[in-house]
Amino acid sequence: MTWYLLLICLVGVERLAELVTARRHTRWSLARGGVEYGRGHYPAMVALHTALLAGCAVEPWAADRPFLPVFGWPALALALAAQGLRWWCIHTLGPRWNTRVLVVPGLPLVSSGPYRLLRHPNYVAVVLEGLALPLVHMAWLTALGFTVLNFALLRVRIRCEEGALNQGGGLRAPASVPASTTGSAR
């Protein structure tokens, strides 16, 4: 359990690094006329991601969940892969990446890195992590609860992003066109 708690703490530190990066990127976007969309759902997103980490720490201890290598090691590999995908997204978007929905008018959509393959690769990372991280130590209630609530939140978030890109002039093709054709600004 000690190693798992260390992992959760490291993911928490990674989240803080994301927030520092997002604040710097917010200043960059606003200085270039960026417009924020979807402020209303942002607190729910922060609360859900905080609850994920708390659930990962509490459920295995409170419910006496064991580490089962047959599930734990593959789940750890998926959780680490999700982190890799997330930081690939951050690197690809550079100062345009954010935890908020910010659109800088006039910038073209990004169509390199993971965005040449997927329309919303960062959300793929979030979904993978939300399933895998709790299952490293069999916190299946946390995995289930996060996944259900996250799908509801992602419906709102992706709709918000697509609308923001349409309003901001950044989306030049319908959302149904594959990412390899249109790219993405996220």
Side-chain angles (χ1 to χ4, degrees), residues 48 52 126-135 139-155:
L48 182 60
L52 170 66
V126 169
V127 168
L128 280 176
E129 182 187 60
L131 280 169
L133 189 61
L135 293 178
W140 61 270
L141 289 173
T142 299
L144 180 63
F146 178 85
T147 299
V148 169
L149 294 172
N150 188 50
F151 274 125
L153 181 62
L154 283 178
R155 287 187 64 208

Side-chain angles (χ1 to χ4, degrees), residues 29-133:
S29 294
L30 294 177
R32 287 157 181 78
V35 178
E36 183 175 357
Y37 298 84
R39 282 186 179 168
H41 72 265
Y42 189 74
M45 188 175 77
V46 170
L48 182 60
H49 283 259
T50 302
L52 170 66
L53 296 180
C56 285
V58 171
E59 183 181 347
W61 170 77
D64 197 27
R65 303 268 195 249
F67 174 80
L68 299 175
V70 70
F71 294 110
W73 291 120
L76 177 62
L78 278 175
L80 294 175
Q83 294 300 325
L85 178 57
R86 173 178 288 116
W87 282 95
W88 187 18
C89 293
I90 292 169
H91 175 75
T92 300
L93 292 177
R96 294 166 67 174
W97 178 87
N98 213 303
T99 57
R100 297 181 179 273
V101 179
L102 286 161
V103 176
V104 178
L107 291 181
L109 291 171
V110 172
S111 59
S112 60
Y115 295 91
R116 74 177 181 271
L117 306 171
L118 299 167
R119 184 133 182 100
H120 297 281
N122 192 65
Y123 300 141
V124 171
V126 169
V127 168
L128 280 176
E129 182 187 60
L131 280 169
L133 189 61

